[in-house]
Amino acid sequence: MSQNESNPNPDKNGNFFNKNPLITFAIFSIVIIMLFKAFIGDENELAGKISGQNVTRTQEISYADLKRLIENKEVEKVSIGQTYIRAIGNDGNGKVAYTTRLVGNDPTLIALLDKQGINYNGFSESNWFTEMFGWLFPFLIIIAIWMFFAGRMQRNMGGGILGMGTSKRLINSEKPKTKFDDVAGAQEAKEEVLEIVDFLRYPDRYVELGAKIPKGVLLVGSPGTGKTLLAKAVAGEADVPFFSVSGSSFIEMFVGVGAARVRDLFEQAKKDAPSIIFIDEIDAIGKSRAAGGMMGGNDEREQTLNQLLAEMDGFGTDTPIIILAATNRPEILDPALLRPGRFDRQVLVDKPDFQGRIDILNVHVKGIKKDLDVDIEEIARLTAGLAGADLANIVNEAALLAGRKNQKTVTQADLREAVERAIAGLSKKSRRIDEKEKKIVAYHESGHALLAETTKGAKKVSKVSIVPRGLAALGYTLNTPEENKYLMQRHELWAEVDVLLGGRAAEEVFIGEISTGAANDLERTTDIIKAMVQMYGMSDVAGLMVLEKQRSSFLGGGMTQSREYSDKMAEEMDAFIKNSLTERYNAVKARLEEYRGAIEKIVELLYEKENITGDQVREIIEAFEIENGIETKLEPRKEHVGETTISE
Ligand code: ADP
Ligand code: ZN
């Protein structure tokens, strides 16, 4: 099952301001002072003189004199402060600002001003305090900003403010208390990292034996599936320091900083070895140079990546440092990163299936006071397709809801509401599969699985899943051949076509309607048949004639070549592809009809468990064949050893 979604991939280039900290800082300071002065200035002006008046002299007078001036209408404007009054008058020699101390609280003054029709207002007085404050405040803001920037730079460069300092501590390590028990589900992933724990705990054992320990392990999985949690648990179990950085933070600010950070990171980790380095979002630095599409690419990223590679190669397998890196898209990583001695191991951290969700929910409800009516299984059913982080949020949201309603415990209703809220707030990236979609996906994947298990030459099923994998696939079937092979025979290619068509056919046969979920399958079937005609000499259309050379990726593989065959040949080829697909599709539908009962059983199990094994599929099919006297089409299947392929 596949779904096409565009995958925006924002480049994290530093912009102008990121690269020129000093200029940024200066501009910042000036702007802040000017803003502040403009704001405060108004009041200061009022305090010094009455706005809008050009005063030639000031003269201190008594309060009584002021009143007399007012009575005689010899002042034009009066400003009343908290402790003194200013008035503007004209004594014949130009404008005078009279000042006097306010005497007590004199309500008659206002009345008098009103009576005489003299304009008056109030002002806040400037004193040493407000004056100081007026200057101090912007400085405090500037210092705060300075410190903020300096802190970031220090973390980035390890060299204090603008590299002038001497502090070298840039990446903080912690000793996590997280244990494997905190990571629910993810059994396979835990087993795979178990030996790392052992190595970090007893490095000498391994070193003495001359064993080569993996340096880099790639944790692959969608966001929120617990990759960070698992990495922390490895450190927690081994009781070693955990250095955590995010790939994007390496190239956040200044050119050249990323490489320096990498150097410092490894220096620190070596000092504290045995230790773990965790690089989140490694794709931010490890993106394939070729995948960038643009010539030249991003220097900063490349420098950082090269430094990382150099550091990884720089320490021997006897140095007990393990680098765990997380990514959602291993396929876009630079092949250099995946070479032996670097990130040569991948651990899949999948989204949880039904049982996995129950386990994760149980871990998180442990921390809350729950009502007796809480039914975790129901919540697990409602949350198909969600990752561990989503489930943790749901439990917390439910607790918040209960708190808002002033309840003593968290009830099932709170949890249900939290699920609804979480789902409403989720982006497409982490989507829940609704019941209807789940049904479609279950039939689709069962179709692939059944065809794989009943077609000679097809690869054996090792796992069927309706847990969404990443952005694109809503479900998948893993197929593994029984031997490692480099050659495909013609009947094996046709078998692969049948298996791929099984998904769409199952939708049509069992649901009576077809969906967009087969797009990827159909693309691949078309490609396979086309290759049989054009490249492998496996059709009557072209015979042994090669219509398309195998593309060399060195000689501009992406460029379109001129067609070297006739229009008639092209037409015949198109007709052959189309007719073969129709013929195979009908045969596949007939197979599904024949095995209807088996499909229903597989779907039922898959719908409930979300992940099932190839053995479970085979068991159902065998039982069905015996029951219905169908002669099996396959010899007993052997262990699978070859490279796994996935039908989505
Ligand atoms: P990732 O690094 O894969 O994006 P995180 O490890 O940051 O995901 O997971 C975020 C949070 O989700 C964790 O701190 C934890 O609370 C919760 N979580 C995710 N997976 C699990 C799990 N398998 N068991 C328990 N909690 C989980
Ligand atoms: Zn499919």
Side-chain angles (χ1 to χ4, degrees), residues 199 202-214 316-319:
F199 167 67
Y202 316 106
D204 297 342
R205 281 190 201 166
Y206 291 85
V207 174
E208 269 161 33
L209 283 169
K212 282 205 179 78
I213 294 297
T317 41
D318 55 345
T319 310

Side-chain angles (χ1 to χ4, degrees), residues 368-383:
I368 62 166
K369 277 210 177 110
K370 60 176 198 291
D371 195 88
L372 286 176
D373 79 338
V374 164
D375 175 5
I376 292 299
E377 286 199 12
E378 188 201 340
I379 302 303
R381 274 201 202 292
L382 291 173
T383 47

Side-chain angles (χ1 to χ4, degrees), residues 328-448:
N328 187 22
R329 293 172 295 169
E331 69 282 356
I332 66 160
L333 291 181
D334 198 299
L337 264 177
L338 307 177
R339 249 172 242 153
R342 295 169 180 168
F343 292 101
D344 49 8
R345 281 208 190 182
Q346 296 199 4
V347 172
L348 204 61
V349 188
D350 259 338
K351 279 193 181 162
D353 60 6
F354 177 59
Q355 187 58 46
R357 291 197 300 277
I358 293 178
D359 296 342
I360 293 173
L361 285 165
N362 276 327
V363 164
H364 291 279
V365 294
K366 238 185 247 162
I368 62 166
K369 277 210 177 110
K370 60 176 198 291
D371 195 88
L372 286 176
D373 79 338
V374 164
D375 175 5
I376 292 299
E377 286 199 12
E378 188 201 340
I379 302 303
R381 274 201 202 292
L382 291 173
T383 47
L386 298 196
D390 304 321
L391 299 174
N393 279 340
I394 284 170
V395 172
N396 188 48
E397 179 75 12
L400 291 175
L401 284 169
R404 221 170 292 153
K405 288 185 258 171
N406 209 5
Q407 290 165 202
K408 292 265 179 300
T409 54
V410 177
T411 65
Q412 186 71 357
D414 298 326
L415 282 164
R416 278 194 213 117
E417 193 179 339
V419 170
E420 289 313 312
R421 287 183 179 214
I423 289 161
L426 283 176
S427 64
K428 262 195 154 182
K429 278 187 189 163
S430 178
R431 46 186 317 223
R432 185 184 70 149
I433 306 305
D434 69 23
E435 300 295 300
K436 188 175 149 211
E437 274 178 322
K438 204 170 145 181
K439 188 173 143 196
I440 297 174
V441 181
Y443 275 109
H444 182 108
E445 299 308 330
S446 301
H448 286 311

Side-chain angles (χ1 to χ4, degrees), residues 1-2 444-445 448 475-477 499-504 507 517-522 524 647-648:
M1 267 280 181
S2 85
H444 182 108
E445 299 308 330
H448 286 311
Y476 56 92
T477 304
V499 172
L500 286 166
L501 289 173
R504 158 61 67 91
E507 288 182 43
N520 180 275
D521 298 335
L522 297 179
R524 281 164 62 191
S647 354
E648 291 180 342

Side-chain angles (χ1 to χ4, degrees), residues 539-555:
S539 75
D540 293 337
V541 178
L544 296 177
M545 182 179 167
V546 169
L547 308 185
E548 178 95 342
K549 294 195 187 90
Q550 300 207 18
R551 285 179 185 198
S552 151
S553 54
F554 295 107
L555 302 171

